[in-house]
Amino acid sequence: MKVLILAGGSGTRLSEYTHEIPKPMVTIGNIPMIVHIMNLYAKYGFKEFIIATGYKSEVINNYFTKNAEIIISKSKDVIKLNYISNKNSKVQLKLTILYTGEETMTGGRVKRAEEYINGNEFMMTYGDGLSNININILVEHHKKNKKLATLSAVRPPVRFGELEIEENLISSFKEKPRLQKGWINGGFFVLNTEIFKFIKGDEIMFEREPLEKLVELNELVAFKHESFWQCMDNKRDKDMLEEMWRNNDIPWLK
């Protein structure tokens, strides 16, 4: 199963860094955030990635081509390469770096990756969130529930979209409401390829029309994760993750 990472946004709330590089390339312990995320998936045996780029895509392209073990093919919009993510364990990842446009919304980025997805299912996450979520259990949960989409639900600081959950089915999805009740979208999705038919174009936000439609159809299930989860939404978050790294308190790698 392939993993799609959305890495094309401008990350304006982390502008101290993102005026020069895209948010997924901001480092924790001198390692880009996106590499930390890929290492999490690789730990559970998922080693094929599609990176959907946009803002400052050349920074991501340059980093991975410079550090590639093998460059399979390279064009203006698509680079395919093999990359060793951990020099000690020699874990080899297969990457497709796909330019999806500067202004494309999250749903549009997902849609543009459609032709690079094999099989009936794939995983998707954002390029700015870390967790110790067990990916294998997440996938098992998705398969057991037999719905079109599984979303990881987490309990973080009160700053994000809110979910209402009834017996594992998501009954309401509200993007960043004024009032919050506990569970939010933590990323780390498992999706059936049927999801593509709910995305009409580049202007679609994945977190709005597609997910709202899945809720309406009772096709969006929650995987409740109550352990570590942290996004890197602003400098405070980045500093906190750096401090965890310095103290060797790194739950996303354990």
Side-chain angles (χ1 to χ4, degrees):
M1 193 183 298
K2 291 188 177 181
V3 181
L4 171 63
I5 302 177
L6 303 187
S10 59
T12 54
R13 283 175 290 188
L14 197 63
S15 59
E16 297 93 336
Y17 304 94
T18 57
H19 65 284
E20 294 182 351
I21 60 176
K23 192 199 287 190
M25 295 303 294
V26 175
T27 60
I28 303 297
N30 294 319
I31 299 170
M33 189 74 160
I34 195 169
V35 175
H36 284 289
I37 294 167
M38 291 192 296
N39 283 337
L40 169 66
Y41 282 97
K43 171 182 169 182
Y44 292 98
F46 298 97
K47 301 177 183 178
E48 292 190 55
F49 297 88
I50 302 165
I51 302 173
T53 66
Y55 174 73
K56 294 192 178 295
S57 59
E58 69 280 0
V59 177
I60 294 176
N61 294 347
N62 292 341
Y63 177 86
F64 285 110
T65 53
K66 179 181 177 181
N67 293 285
E69 182 186 39
I70 300 170
I71 297 177
I72 300 169
S73 63
K74 185 175 182 179
S75 68
K76 178 182 177 182
D77 293 334
V78 185
I79 301 171
K80 294 186 177 184
L81 55 84
N82 292 344
Y83 168 73
I84 300 293
S85 68
N86 188 315
K87 304 302 181 183
N88 295 323
S89 61
K90 299 293 184 183
V91 175
Q92 184 183 90
L93 309 180
K94 294 184 177 180
L95 310 185
T96 299
I97 305 173
L98 174 66
Y99 179 70
T100 57
E102 288 271 341
E103 304 298 328
T104 305
M105 298 290 101
T106 49
R109 296 192 196 283
V110 173
K111 180 70 172 178
R112 289 204 189 196
E114 181 175 7
E115 66 179 284
Y116 301 94
I117 302 293
N118 301 323
N120 296 322
E121 295 169 323
F122 65 103
M123 286 183 280
M124 187 274 280
T125 195
Y126 307 104
D128 62 355
L130 294 174
S131 179
N132 63 349
I133 188 169
N134 186 310
I135 301 296
N136 286 338
I137 295 177
L138 169 66
V139 172
E140 289 171 8
H141 185 78
H142 174 78
K143 291 181 180 296
K144 182 180 77 172
N145 283 279
K146 298 180 181 179
K147 298 295 183 180
L148 292 183
T150 297
L151 173 159
S152 61
V154 298
R155 293 183 184 273
V158 188
R159 298 201 308 265
F160 303 90
E162 182 183 78
L163 309 176
E164 292 180 10
I165 301 170
E166 298 175 5
E167 297 180 353
N168 279 341
L169 279 176
I170 294 173
S171 58
S172 175
F173 185 101
K174 299 176 182 177
E175 180 67 5
K176 299 180 183 177
R178 293 185 180 180
L179 299 176
Q180 308 237 350
K181 298 179 182 178
W183 295 101
I184 68 155
N185 171 16
F188 300 100
F189 292 84
V190 185
L191 304 170
N192 187 287
T193 51
E194 289 288 307
I195 191 71
F196 293 121
K197 71 183 182 183
F198 298 103
I199 305 171
K200 303 303 181 184
D202 285 353
E203 71 285 357
I204 299 297
M205 287 190 67
F206 184 73
E207 301 77 13
R208 292 187 181 163
E209 293 96 325
L211 291 190
E212 289 167 0
K213 185 63 177 179
L214 290 175
V215 169
E216 182 183 323
L217 297 172
N218 287 326
E219 287 289 344
L220 181 60
V221 69
F223 177 77
K224 294 179 180 178
H225 177 68
E226 302 209 45
S227 189
F228 174 77
W229 179 91
Q230 180 62 52
C231 74
M232 188 176 62
D233 199 46
N234 52 44
K235 188 176 184 300
R236 180 186 62 185
D237 297 334
K238 191 255 199 291
D239 291 344
M240 183 185 68
L241 289 167
E242 282 284 5
E243 183 177 1
M244 293 174 71
W245 182 271
R246 287 194 300 271
N247 294 332
N248 199 32
D249 177 19
I250 315 171
W252 62 92
L253 292 183
K254 296 180 180 177

